[in-house]
Each structure stands twice: as structure tokens, then as C-alpha cells.
Amino acid sequence: MLTFTPVGQVNGVFDIFFYEPSHGTFTHAQPLSGHTLERDIDDYVIAISRNGPGQILRFFTIENQDFTFQFEINPYAPGSPPPGREFTCDISAVSSEVGSENERKGATPEDVEWLSDYCILEPPIDREPRNIELLERAVETDRVPTDTLFYCRLDDNTHIVTISRVPGGMKYEYGRIGTDSVELALEQPLEQVQVVTEDDNGQSRFGEIRFTSGPYSYIASYRYDLFDTNGKLLPSGPDRARANPTFRRSLMVTKDGDRANPVFARDCLIAHSYDAILASERE
């Protein structure tokens, strides 16, 4: 998961979070500064930052769910520019970035000839650029809008459901992953949307958001048990819900309130889902 926070007019800070499926948690990697991230064909991650008319390129490798600085190309390094070029093309294993990066030393690759493409503003037409654009893969990327209360990638891995706050109400959207098309959208005022949280006699907990349209109800929910079959307390705190083996999120569509025979029912992929039902109820 990646977020970008603008700093100034051009550059900003990229915060990257690596997902750890065995624990159901995210690890916050070292933030990278710049305006663009790219991946080189040798699997370097390149953070590009604008500094005046020139750009500084910093190359990182990914190790243990974090970024390790290797080297940078700094157009403002001391020295004379090569003939016909405006900037120098200094390749250094010491970062010039202000802050902790100043003390971090990487490793300059032995063969630096392949880096020359990055020093030429317009590479020859017959030379293929080495950088690879970091394109999203729809099967891996989740776009969770601001003010989202419930996000669910259904376990068929083809559709998503998003419930979000809108002025004066909530919006329910159901659509196919990787497209901008919405197959079903419902927007209703708060008083028409039912938000329920329950403690089932101290044995389990569940919450749901329910939209109703005609005879149909669209129910997004979570549920987990408090105890295992031996009566042992299961982890259930807000930051450990995914560690509870009984925890699940799901979507159900019913007609005429018949939950025993739903029109549609699917679980969410836990690693690709989110809910803030309790927070919504408190508000």
C-alpha cells in the first residue's frame, strides 16, 4: 500500500506499507522522497526528486520489507558536465539527501555503463529506456476512498463493495475490480441506513451496515467469536481482530428480509477488506 503526501510544489513523501499475511498486519517501510517512483529492469526502486532544473535519482533495493539505499545520480555533483550535457552525471554510493540518508552508504554497481540512459535527457530513439513504470496490478491493488466505512474484495476476487460517507448520508457501491464502472450504487440519508453492532450474549460480536431498496437489503457485516471451542478467550481487540481465526467480513443480499435464503452471499478476502462500523455507530 502506498500513500503520497505533497511537500511544496513538486516533491513529496511516499509512505509504503508492506502487508504481512501471516500476521494480518502492515509494516511501514522507510519513507522515500520525490515526485515519482519507478522500477528499473534490475529491480531497483528509483525515487526521483526535482531540484531546480535537474532531477536527483536515488536507487534502492527491497530487503526485509524495507528499502535499502544503494546509490544516487546527482546532476549537481562537483565536476564538469560531459560534452553537450548541462549537468554532471555523478554516480555516488553516498546519498546527498538531507537527514538520516546523509550517513547511509550504499554500493555503486561495478558496471555503471547501463546507467548512462539516466544521464541523457533524450536517449537515442533506438535505445530502449531501462526504467519500468510502476503500474498498478488490479488483482493486487486496493483503492480505498476517503471516508470509507466498509471495503470488501469479495472472495471470488472479481468484485468489490465500498460503503463510504457522503454529505448527509452514505453511499453503497458494487463493481468489478480494475474498472471504474459501478454495477450498483445506492446513496441514502443517514436515517435510512441501519448501522447495528451487537454482543451476542458474551459469545460473539458482530456489526453491520444495511441498505434497503424496495424488497432488497444489502448487508455488509463483520463477525467473530469471543471464545474457542474449549472456552479459551480469543484475541479480539481492534488491532488484533484479524488474528482471531473466526473473524470474517461478508456481503449478503436478501429479499423480503429472508436471511435464511439470501439472494447473494459471499465472504470478503480479509487481506483486502476493511471496516469502521464501530466508529460509525459511535458517531
Side-chain angles (χ1 to χ4, degrees), residues 149-195:
L149 298 175
F150 189 93
Y151 176 86
C152 167
R153 183 187 290 229
L154 299 175
D155 61 7
D156 61 2
N157 211 23
T158 63
H159 286 75
I160 57 174
V161 174
T162 304
I163 297 176
S164 56
R165 282 191 176 277
V166 294
M170 295 186 193
K171 178 186 285 188
Y172 170 102
E173 292 182 310
Y174 172 89
R176 183 171 289 275
I177 294 172
T179 68
D180 294 327
S181 63
V182 176
E183 297 178 19
L184 176 64
L186 299 170
E187 185 172 328
Q188 297 180 348
L190 288 175
E191 57 268 20
Q192 292 184 19
V193 181
Q194 291 181 283
V195 182

Side-chain angles (χ1 to χ4, degrees), residues 196-201 204-208 222-224 278:
V196 179
T197 56
E198 294 287 347
D199 184 340
D200 185 14
N201 297 321
S204 64
R205 289 181 180 158
F206 65 90
E208 65 181 40
Y222 74 84
R223 185 182 191 94
Y224 61 89
L278 283 172

Side-chain angles (χ1 to χ4, degrees), residues 120-253:
I120 304 173
L121 296 181
E122 296 182 2
I125 296 177
D126 60 350
R127 181 184 297 176
E128 184 178 351
R130 290 187 54 85
N131 57 304
I132 302 173
E133 190 175 355
L134 285 175
L135 297 176
E136 289 183 355
R137 295 188 61 196
V139 296
E140 297 176 353
T141 305
D142 293 298
R143 285 184 168 271
V144 183
T146 303
D147 294 328
T148 295
L149 298 175
F150 189 93
Y151 176 86
C152 167
R153 183 187 290 229
L154 299 175
D155 61 7
D156 61 2
N157 211 23
T158 63
H159 286 75
I160 57 174
V161 174
T162 304
I163 297 176
S164 56
R165 282 191 176 277
V166 294
M170 295 186 193
K171 178 186 285 188
Y172 170 102
E173 292 182 310
Y174 172 89
R176 183 171 289 275
I177 294 172
T179 68
D180 294 327
S181 63
V182 176
E183 297 178 19
L184 176 64
L186 299 170
E187 185 172 328
Q188 297 180 348
L190 288 175
E191 57 268 20
Q192 292 184 19
V193 181
Q194 291 181 283
V195 182
V196 179
T197 56
E198 294 287 347
D199 184 340
D200 185 14
N201 297 321
Q203 298 301 309
S204 64
R205 289 181 180 158
F206 65 90
E208 65 181 40
I209 303 177
R210 183 163 67 245
F211 287 73
T212 301
S213 178
Y216 294 97
S217 293
Y218 303 84
I219 306 164
S221 65
Y222 74 84
R223 185 182 191 94
Y224 61 89
D225 295 334
L226 296 177
F227 302 91
D228 64 16
T229 55
N230 297 318
K232 182 180 179 181
L233 185 66
L234 292 168
S236 57
D239 59 335
R240 300 186 64 196
R242 290 182 179 176
N244 186 318
T246 68
F247 186 89
R248 61 191 290 257
R249 293 189 181 96
S250 60
L251 174 70
M252 177 187 294
V253 181

